[in-house]
Structure formats: structure tokens, C-alpha cells
Amino acid sequence: MARRSQQVSLLGNELDISFDALGLVVAPLLAIGLGKIHASYLALSVAYYIYQWGLQRRRNLGLPVHALPPNPLRRILAGFQMGFIAIVLWPLLNPALTTSAGIAFMLPVLFGFVADWWVVSGNIQPQALNRLEIFSGRFFQPGLRVLLVLLLFSVTKDSALLSLTGMTVDVFGLLLCTGLILLGFAGRLGALILIILLGWHYPSGAIDFKGYVLIFTASWILLLGTGRFSLWQWDDEWVTRYDGA
């Protein structure tokens, strides 16, 4: 509302960031208590505070603090974390899947904190982050798409997931999300559909190594996008939109 009405302020910006960080402490504690995510997710909850403490310590010691280049991915990943924590509190999703997905959602953000720290402390140049982003878009994200389709084929070929997806709606959903992801046609949406299907139907305690890789791959496609060779990246444009700005 503040951005839409052109009433933004420095105080509002600080409160926005502070309450987002606090929310990612309180809500994960509740989710851990309900057995929906692993306790390791608290590493993400405290990462912001450790990062801010490190910046203040460098200033107190008179060490340089280099500026970070703008990158919308930071805001996107933070938004996904808040959405993820809210959704896993629902009773509909399988805790076996939400626990694995929580780790998958957490790792890119932790990596981002480490990469940003390397920049602000002067250990690497900001251009290194740009090169990493280019590499991800050209190779890593398209590779995730291919890997996910191969995993889906392998898992549904000889696992219990076939019996759980005997209903037409589930088979249609799997085919739809597979096509969206492989073609990069609103691939984030396809990854979201896949995660929801897995959350509803994957058997508790039956997630094997392939299942874990599948969950991680789908989660990272949802977080990062489909990258190069995508037919339509509407969902990328949607998640990068800064409402009211």
C-alpha cells in the first residue's frame, strides 16, 4: 500500500525487512514443532541476523564494507521462503515431503548469504555473481529441467507413485507439469503443480534417493526458473515484479 500510494519511507523499509526476518524465525519454529520441517531450517532463520552482525562487526573494526550489486533474486527467494513456510503449516501436505522440500528451499538462500558476504567483505568481485547468474541461466537451470523429466519417468515407471496416481486427474497433472517444465512454458508453475501433487500423494516414509533428488530438483526450478531454451517465461516476469514500485 505504501508503494502504491507513493508513501514509502526509510522506517517502513527497515520495518518491512525486520518483520520479514522475525517471521522467518517464529513460523519455522511452529512448523518444526508440528513436524513439518527439519530443525536445520533454523540455519536460514538465523542467517540474516548473523549476516547483519558480521556487517556491524566489520564497521566497528574499521574494515571496508563493499556495496552489493542490485539483484532481484534476493527478494524472490525471501518471498518464496515466506510462502513455503505458510503452506507447510497446512495439514494437507505430507510431512515427509515438506521436510525434504524445506531443506531444498533453504540451501539456495544460504548460498546467497555466503556469496553476498564474500562480496561485501571484498573476497570476490561483484562480477563473479553476474557470471554465476549467467552460468545458472544457460546451463544449470535447463539441466534441472531435463533431470527432473528423467527422474519423473524413472520414479513413475517402477514405484508406488504409479498406484497413487491411478486417478485421471493425477495422471493429467503429472503430464501437464512435465510438459510445462521440459518446454520451459511457465515452468515454475509446472514445478509448483508437481510439488503439490507429490505433497498430497507421495507415501510417507517411502521417499528413496530418487524421490529426494526429484523434490530438490522441482524446488530449485520453482525458486530459480527454467533458464535458457524456455518457450514462455511468464512466471519469471511475474515473480520478479515489484508490486507498486
Side-chain angles (χ1 to χ4, degrees):
M1 290 178 63
R3 288 194 296 268
R4 284 184 175 275
S5 60
Q6 301 298 314
Q7 297 294 320
V8 296
S9 67
L10 293 176
L11 175 61
N13 182 68
E14 290 300 317
L15 288 175
D16 183 29
I17 296 173
S18 298
F19 278 104
D20 284 349
L22 180 61
L24 284 176
V25 174
V26 176
L29 285 172
L30 176 59
I32 291 170
L34 294 174
K36 303 303 287 288
I37 60 174
H38 192 267
S40 61
Y41 193 89
L42 290 178
L44 175 60
S45 301
V46 302
Y48 169 79
Y49 297 101
I50 295 175
Y51 179 81
Q52 292 298 323
W53 173 82
L55 292 179
Q56 188 59 47
R57 177 172 173 78
R58 288 187 66 86
R59 296 188 184 101
N60 293 340
L61 295 175
L63 299 174
V65 176
H66 302 273
L68 280 174
N71 188 346
L73 184 60
R74 299 187 190 97
R75 181 175 55 82
I76 292 170
L77 292 180
F80 270 117
Q81 301 308 311
M82 289 182 281
F84 170 76
I85 287 297
I87 291 174
V88 299
L89 294 175
W90 297 357
L92 298 176
L93 299 181
N94 184 346
L97 178 130
T98 58
T99 300
S100 305
I103 299 174
F105 268 65
M106 171 185 67
L107 290 178
V109 184
L110 290 180
F111 178 81
F113 272 115
V114 173
D116 286 351
W117 176 255
W118 286 342
V119 172
V120 299
S121 60
N123 291 315
I124 63 172
Q125 296 298 315
Q127 292 79 1
L129 296 185
N130 294 334
R131 290 193 292 269
L132 181 61
E133 183 178 356
I134 293 173
F135 172 82
S136 177
R138 289 182 177 178
F139 303 105
F140 183 67
Q141 291 159 241
L144 286 176
R145 288 156 53 195
V146 175
L147 175 61
L148 185 138
V149 172
L150 293 176
L151 284 169
L152 272 177
F153 176 77
S154 176
V155 169
T156 56
K157 180 181 178 181
D158 55 5
S159 75
L161 189 60
L162 271 179
S163 61
L164 294 171
T165 56
M167 296 174 61
T168 304
V169 64
D170 294 334
V171 173
F172 175 77
L174 281 175
L175 292 175
L176 174 64
C177 64
T178 302
L180 292 177
I181 293 169
L182 181 61
L183 298 176
F185 191 90
R188 287 183 194 259
L189 179 61
L192 177 61
I193 296 172
L194 175 61
I195 292 172
I196 292 174
L197 286 174
L198 294 175
W200 280 341
H201 300 300
Y202 219 108
S204 298
I207 300 181
D208 55 9
F209 176 75
K210 289 182 182 179
Y212 284 119
V213 178
L214 176 62
I215 294 167
F216 272 61
T217 305
S219 300
W220 288 347
I221 290 174
L222 178 61
L223 292 174
L224 302 176
T226 53
R228 196 180 183 188
F229 308 117
S230 297
L231 294 182
W232 187 44
Q233 300 189 61
W234 160 83
D235 41 6
D236 281 3
E237 298 174 3
W238 189 83
V239 298
T240 56
R241 180 172 56 93
Y242 195 44
D243 192 38

